[in-house]
């Protein structure tokens, strides 16, 4: 290590982004669908006529709902209207290229019939595996599947948030074996999955055993080479999470962008990253009563485009109902986003930071490794004139809007106005710049 870094056995094992084909694929997909689904969809944020103010998937931690009652909800979990092909086709219509499914959230309920737990879909009236058909249908629709997995498991007798006694430590060791077994089981059952999305790794018991997080990551890579896993799995031996004690990213991409986005390229330090976003303020699982501001398709598209313009992926969350169907609001959003993506998705997939000076009208996205740069315009100024300042050693070759050539006006050295006078749009407008670089 360099002079100002400390020696770490379980810190980052790589400097810079992963350059292999599996990671390149993850990076090219750019738009994902997140699904939070489990027994928490039954109460849907309400219990005995009262509303829970937190996130619906956390309702078990609400004192008004006795654990005993929550832990028996699975006896009513019977998503008879679940149609994997329907789920996959609407995700495809929306333009998602990957999906992340909660195999097991904090409550510990497994959507697959795990042989390491009795608290699974197999014990519900539905009985059948939900993940198998889901993975198959999404893959058939050309969508990669990632598995969300919570380390925190409220149902497991050996789970400990902190280790105070020798008995706690022994339980924790057994719990680690359980986690490893379940993860290996998931990979063995669903071999086409591309990665894990870990969560619930903030407790002391987990972050104090950086060595285990490191060994687990390497073990999973060894049995499923190419697997993509974010930074949330890992801690180093000093308890630093996501970034090790030398400030280097652990895991394959930065996974800390939860309902927030970076503002500028410097914020992401050259790393791969992914943001996850809810439609209402903070509800991941199904909540019958969405409160507060509900994001619109245009707002969500702006977040997607902004993420891609800063070299990141954007994942939009959905919380299906207990019967296996999606609420109307979510269906409408998927349709609206999809309508735009069908025409303009080419500006998003395989998109990267363009290296242009940011302008108030919106975002630039460069098609990876090419001289094609898309302007995605969210704010048309009253003048109708969009300012474009070319980076050094780059010239503008042509400008087009949907196959239609536009004539830019040179207003300064390597600086242009693109005129959209009279144009109004209620969805973002995409303009393609062909450029050339060299001296
Ligand atoms: C976690 C879960 O507790 C939540 O239910 C949901 O599954 C979400 C995707 O992940 O919540 C988090 C995790 C991380 C942060 C915030 C909430 N964070 O890093 O700020």
């Amino acid at each position: 290590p360099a002079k100002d870094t400390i020696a770490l056995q379980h810190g980052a094992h790589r400097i810079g982004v992963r350059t292999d084909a599996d990671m390149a694929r993850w990076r090219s997909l750019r738009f994902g669908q997140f699904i939070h689904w489990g027994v928490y969809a039954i109460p849907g944020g309400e219990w005995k006529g009262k509303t829970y103010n937190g996130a619906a998937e956390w309702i078990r931690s609400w004192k008004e709902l006795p654990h005993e009652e929550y832990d028996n909800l699975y006896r009513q979990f019977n998503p008879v209207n679940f149609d994997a092909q329907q789920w996959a086709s609407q995700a495809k219509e929306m333009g998602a290229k990957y999906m992340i499914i909660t195999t097991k959230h904090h409550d510990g309920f497994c959507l697959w019939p795990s042989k390491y737990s009795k608290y699974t879909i197999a014990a519900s009236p539905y009985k059948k595996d939900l993940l198998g058909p889901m993975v198959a249908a999404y893959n058939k629709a050309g969508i990669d599947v990632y598995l969300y997995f919570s380390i925190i498991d409220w149902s497991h007798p050996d789970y400990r948030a902190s280790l105070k006694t020798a008995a706690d430590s022994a339980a924790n060791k057994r719990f680690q074996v359980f986690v490893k077994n379940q993860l290996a089981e998931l990979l063995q059952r669903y071999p086409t999955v591309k990665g894990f999305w870990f969560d619930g790794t903030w407790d002391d018991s987990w972050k104090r055993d950086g060595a285990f997080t490191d060994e687990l990551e390497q073990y999973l890579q060894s049995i499923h080479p190419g697997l993509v896993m974010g930074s949330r799995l890992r801690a180093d031996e000093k308890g630093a999470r996501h970034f090790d004690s030398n400030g280097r990213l652990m895991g394959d991409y930065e996974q800390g962008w939860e309902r927030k986005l970076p503002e500028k390229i410097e914020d992401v330090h050259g790393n791969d990253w992914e943001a996850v976003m809810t439609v209402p303020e903070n509800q991941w699982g199904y909540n019958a009563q969405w409160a507060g501001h509900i994001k619109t398709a245009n707002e969500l598209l702006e977040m997607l485009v902004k993420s891609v313009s800063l070299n990141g992926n954007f994942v939009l969350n959905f919380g299906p109902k207990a019967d296996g169907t999606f609420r109307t609001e979510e269906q409408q959003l998927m349709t609206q986003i999809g309508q735009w993506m069908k025409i303009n998705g080419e500006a998003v997939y395989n998109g990267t930071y363009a290296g242009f000076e940011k302008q108030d009208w919106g975002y630039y996205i460069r098609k990876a490794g090419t001289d094609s740069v898309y302007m995605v315009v969210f704010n048309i100024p009253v003048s109708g004139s969009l300012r474009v300042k070319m980076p050094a050693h780059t010239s503008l070759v042509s400008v087009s809007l949907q196959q239609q050539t536009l004539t830019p006006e040179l207003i300064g050295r390597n600086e242009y106005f693109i005129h959209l006078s009279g144009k109004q749009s209620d969805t973002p407008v995409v303009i393609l710049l062909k450029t050339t670089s060299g001296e």
Side-chain angles (χ1 to χ4, degrees), residues 7 40 51 95 153 214 270 281 294-295 321 324 348 381 404 428:
Y40 40 79
T51 306
D153 187 330
D214 190 13
E281 194 178 319
I294 308 303
K295 296 174 192 79
K321 297 191 243 182
V348 169
Q404 194 197 318

Side-chain angles (χ1 to χ4, degrees), residues 39-40 43-47 50-52 54-65 67 70 73 154:
V39 298
Y40 40 79
E46 281 167 41
W47 190 250
K50 281 200 208 161
T51 306
Y52 172 59
E57 73 282 2
W58 275 81
I59 199 167
R60 186 183 183 275
S61 59
W62 188 31
K63 62 178 185 324
E64 270 82 354
L65 204 177
H67 289 173
Y70 184 94
L73 286 173
W154 296 329

Side-chain angles (χ1 to χ4, degrees), residues 28 30 95 97 308 340-352 365-368 370 372-374 376 400 402-403 430-434:
S28 74
R30 287 310 188 210
K97 297 285 187 191
V308 177
W340 187 86
M341 288 295 284
K342 212 155 287 152
I343 300 165
N344 303 291
E346 62 179 82
V348 169
Y349 306 125
N350 234 326
T352 61
I365 293 175
R366 179 185 299 277
K367 195 75 151 171
T370 74
S372 293
V373 173
Y374 295 92
V376 188
S400 59
Q402 307 285 351
Q403 272 59 265
V430 175
I431 296 170
L432 173 59
L433 308 180
K434 293 278 187 189

Side-chain angles (χ1 to χ4, degrees), residues 34 36 55 57-58 102 105-106 148 197 199-200 202 232 242 255-256 258-260 276 284:
F34 209 155
H36 274 69
E57 73 282 2
W58 275 81
T102 49
H105 205 263
H106 308 332
Y148 168 107
W197 203 97
D199 193 18
W202 49 78
R232 210 178 279 189
H242 295 273
Q255 205 188 343
E258 201 262 358
R259 293 182 296 124
K260 62 178 188 223
V276 291
W284 299 89

